[in-house]
Amino acid sequence: MQLFKSSSYVGSGAQKLSRSLARWFPTPAMLYPPAAGIDISDGSIKWLLLQPYKSRYRIASYGEMVIEPGIVVNGTVHDVDGLAHALSEVKKRLGGVACAHAALPEEAAYVFEMHVPDGTAHDQVISMIEFGFEGRVPIAPGAAVYDFDVIQRHDESEGADIGVAVFSRELAEAYVAAFDAAGMQLLSLEVEARSIARTISSTASDEPVTLLVDFGRARTGFAVLKLGIPIFTSTVEVGGEGITKTVAEQLSLSPEETQKFKNEQGLFPDADAKPEGMEALIGTASALADEVARHYHYWDTRRNEKGERMTPVGRVVLVGGSANLKGLPDYLAGRVQAPTSVADVWRRVCNFDEYIPPVNSRDSLQYATAAGLALRSFSV
Amino acid sequence: MSNVLPKEAKKAAWRMYRARFVIAGSLVALAAAGLSALALLPSYLALHAAEPVSAPSNTAKSAGSETDRAALTSVRAMVETLSPLIATTTPAAAITQALSARPSAISIDHITYSADSPGMLILAGTAATREALGGYRQALSANSLWKTVFVPVGDLTGEPGARFSMSLSGDF
């Protein structure tokens, strides 16, 4: 089957062998330059640069830079020069690294799953994807950029499932222009959920379908991951900022105290906690839980013509800066009746016996996308 | 891994990879050329060092022609120059020893070496006197480096100034 020209499907044995060979005979930096993972959101740019260390990697550089409001709005670049200026500031902190991998926002993505017959050539798959636009993507193929990852190959020559990501060409070109103007070589663009999935997915063939919840400051992104490949993404206007604002106002707390309250009291406060703050927390958590449950039940109960469950969701994984709200995983687990946990962002980055990253576990949730992008440099 | 970079940006990335590959390839080729030059440098220096050396006085007295003397001088100078580098090269050492035992009345103008087991060295030239040729043969026979020293009887009994050849064998 030739469709695996850009495939992410590699047998685990081959992957291990490849990793061992790469460790002993690393590709010279001159041929394959190091590249930072750069996560651009409406409010900030986060970057993370990895370098090989012992059996895995270590963080060479990381950070966050706040960008002016209006430069990026809902993931769309409104001010290319402004973004380029911010990126050039980031470049100065990368220690001479001028290449980057970046992610495009889920709001602008059209992600779907397709089945392709066995023996389909890469170009034919691209043609099939273009046909698949109808009814799924409201953009003409000529005005879109798209690519696919192979999710799994079926036995007995029954073909393969692929996850397709489509974006508007204009959006992608704006990102490319900003990186060019900043003097950075952009090596790849991918959907944000794919980057996060790279950090949390085990790539094991028996990994359950995962509902990824990226609980951010202003919005929450949902992605259904099948073996680490997104087959659906959406965003809702529920974010942690609302909680922060309400708690700060009602309890008259400083931003630091509010953060502390969210992280240490959260949804399971001490007996002497003020009920006003709790109401704000419960209100937002409930709205988020409704959305999680809606997505979860839709995907969990989808059945094919034979009546078999197509995407039985096995777990819910939380990432994003607002996922630190104490008690949130238990609260959501109670609502969707499924295992729910906060992601371990460093799972594939480092082994804690060998290296402790300088970013603590709470802050690491904000770097999930950047870490996934940085891992891309190492073909993880 | 999927990559939704626009085509032009993908091409730019590939151009960068290609340029880096070409530069890396060029550097490897340059390094190989440098190593080759370094390996050839001693020979080059030896050749050039041999040119200005004037003929020593003992060879001036020999019966050979000016050209032969010049060639011999050049070979000797080259062997001397290269001696630190080719100290372990037994054939070169063997030639040096064969030439160093040569009396002034003997002129060598041709040396043939064959790397058999044992190695074989054939010296050809002219002998001013029969005694000189006999003495040269005896001097070489006394050296344990040579297993056999053979001079055809006809050459040993030849006229003064006649040509001769001498076969030397040994482990070199």
Side-chain angles (χ1 to χ4, degrees):
Chain A
M1 185 181 262
Q2 298 167 31
L3 67 88
F4 304 113
K5 192 172 162 186
S6 68
S7 153
S8 67
Y9 178 88
V10 183
S12 60
Q15 261 188 349
K16 274 181 192 167
L17 180 69
S18 165
R19 204 172 288 175
S20 302
L21 281 174
R23 200 171 302 139
W24 289 103
F25 306 103
T27 311
M30 186 168 199
L31 288 181
Y32 194 65
I38 297 189
D39 172 23
I40 300 169
S41 64
D42 291 5
S44 67
I45 297 176
K46 296 183 197 78
W47 72 90
L48 198 134
L49 178 65
L50 297 175
Q51 58 184 205
Y53 182 73
K54 295 190 177 173
S55 66
R56 292 190 196 172
Y57 317 101
R58 62 178 291 167
I59 296 173
S61 172
Y62 76 98
E64 180 177 14
M65 176 187 281
V66 175
I67 56 174
E68 297 288 323
I71 290 178
V72 180
V73 179
N74 293 335
T76 306
V77 182
H78 282 215
D79 179 1
V80 172
D81 292 336
L83 182 59
H85 177 71
L87 286 170
S88 61
E89 290 299 315
V90 170
K91 189 187 168 191
K92 288 176 191 166
R93 301 178 196 187
L94 292 177
V97 171
C99 296
H101 299 286
L104 291 174
E106 279 138 14
E107 294 100 307
Y110 300 95
V111 176
F112 54 91
E113 184 185 7
M114 276 181 73
H115 179 83
V116 291
D118 198 29
T120 311
H122 183 269
D123 292 344
Q124 284 176 300
V125 176
I126 294 296
S127 300
M128 289 173 73
I129 291 172
E130 288 178 4
F131 279 114
F133 272 35
E134 204 175 319
R136 287 171 166 148
V137 183
I139 312 173
V145 286
Y146 46 92
D147 205 353
F148 66 93
D149 282 307
V150 177
I151 299 167
Q152 62 182 349
R153 283 189 271 197
H154 296 286
D155 297 334
E156 298 165 2
S157 304
E158 284 184 5
D161 294 332
I162 60 170
V164 182
V166 184
F167 289 90
S168 113
R169 176 177 292 277
E170 198 183 349
L171 175 86
E173 283 176 347
Y175 276 81
V176 172
F179 275 89
D180 274 350
M184 295 187 82
Q185 176 71 55
L186 189 57
L187 301 179
S188 75
L189 277 175
E190 65 184 5
V191 64
E192 201 175 341
R194 177 70 185 97
S195 313
I196 298 171
R198 196 173 290 119
T199 62
I200 64 165
S201 173
S202 67
T203 70
S205 58
D206 59 349
E207 186 180 71
V209 175
T210 303
L211 176 62
L212 178 68
V213 181
D214 182 6
F215 190 25
R217 215 172 290 167
R219 289 184 305 280
T220 299
F222 291 94
V224 177
L225 307 177
K226 202 170 172 183
L227 300 177
I229 308 294
I231 57 170
F232 167 82
T233 60
S234 78
T235 49
V236 294
E237 297 292 321
V238 176
E241 204 170 45
I243 299 178
T244 310
K245 234 180 228 176
T246 318
V247 170
E249 279 169 12
Q250 296 199 352
L251 301 181
S252 305
L253 298 175
S254 66
E256 291 76 27
E257 287 170 332
T258 310
Q259 204 58 44
K260 197 176 170 193
F261 179 83
K262 283 167 65 181
N263 295 343
E264 293 177 9
Q265 303 284 325
L267 297 168
F268 298 112
D270 298 337
D272 57 343
K274 293 179 184 176
E276 300 87 12
M278 275 301 297
E279 282 168 17
L281 291 178
I282 291 290
T284 308
S286 176
L288 178 69
D290 287 344
E291 291 294 339
V292 173
R294 194 166 64 85
H295 283 89
Y296 180 90
H297 290 304
Y298 172 75
W299 286 95
D300 193 46
T301 54
R302 276 178 79 215
R303 290 176 189 274
N304 60 16
E305 59 274 12
K306 294 175 192 166
E308 296 161 342
R309 288 166 74 198
M310 290 165 70
T311 46
V313 182
R315 61 175 181 161
V316 178
V317 175
L318 292 167
V319 290
S322 302
N324 287 311
L325 183 64
K326 190 189 171 191
L328 185 63
D330 295 333
Y331 184 78
L332 293 178
R335 287 290 296 273
V336 297
Q337 297 296 309
T340 304
S341 60
V342 173
D344 175 7
V345 172
W346 306 130
R347 177 180 184 171
R348 304 189 68 188
V349 172
C350 57
N351 179 348
F352 289 137
D353 292 334
E354 296 171 349
Y355 173 70
I356 304 293
V359 186
N360 65 42
S361 63
R362 274 187 184 144
D363 293 342
S364 72
L365 294 176
Q366 300 173 44
Y367 287 93
T369 307
L373 287 165
L375 281 171
R376 190 177 168 125
S377 282
F378 303 98
S379 301
V380 174
Chain B
M1 278 182 274
S2 62
N3 186 354
V4 293
L5 268 182
K7 261 183 191 171
E8 298 72 33
K10 265 185 195 168
K11 278 182 189 168
W14 278 112
R15 271 200 299 275
M16 182 204 70
Y17 286 130
R18 198 167 51 234
R20 281 171 174 266
F21 188 79
V22 168
I23 290 169
S26 308
L27 288 177
V28 169
L30 274 175
L35 284 174
S36 306
L38 214 62
L40 293 172
L41 188 66
S43 308
Y44 176 81
L45 288 177
L47 281 172
H48 282 261
E51 276 170 6
V53 176
S54 58
S57 57
N58 62 340
T59 52
K61 293 174 190 168
S62 69
S65 67
E66 286 296 316
T67 319
D68 293 342
R69 279 205 304 276
L72 276 170
T73 307
S74 175
V75 168
R76 185 171 285 175
M78 200 185 303
V79 168
E80 277 173 13
T81 311
L82 290 173
S83 58
L85 298 168
I86 57 174
T88 55
T89 310
T90 314
I95 293 169
T96 311
Q97 287 204 32
L99 292 178
S100 64
R102 179 177 58 88
S104 57
I106 299 291
S107 169
I108 308 288
D109 55 22
H110 196 87
I111 300 171
T112 307
Y113 166 70
S114 55
D116 297 328
S117 185
M120 182 67 79
L121 202 64
I122 298 170
L123 308 176
T126 53
T129 61
R130 278 183 286 187
E131 291 74 24
L133 182 60
Y136 187 28
R137 186 180 70 87
Q138 280 176 5
L140 290 173
S141 301
N143 190 335
S144 59
L145 176 68
W146 315 110
K147 280 185 178 170
T148 60
V149 179
F150 175 74
V151 182
V153 176
D155 291 353
L156 283 171
T157 57
E159 292 294 316
R163 289 196 64 76
F164 74 93
S165 69
M166 188 183 283
S167 304
L168 309 169
S169 70
D171 293 325
F172 49 82

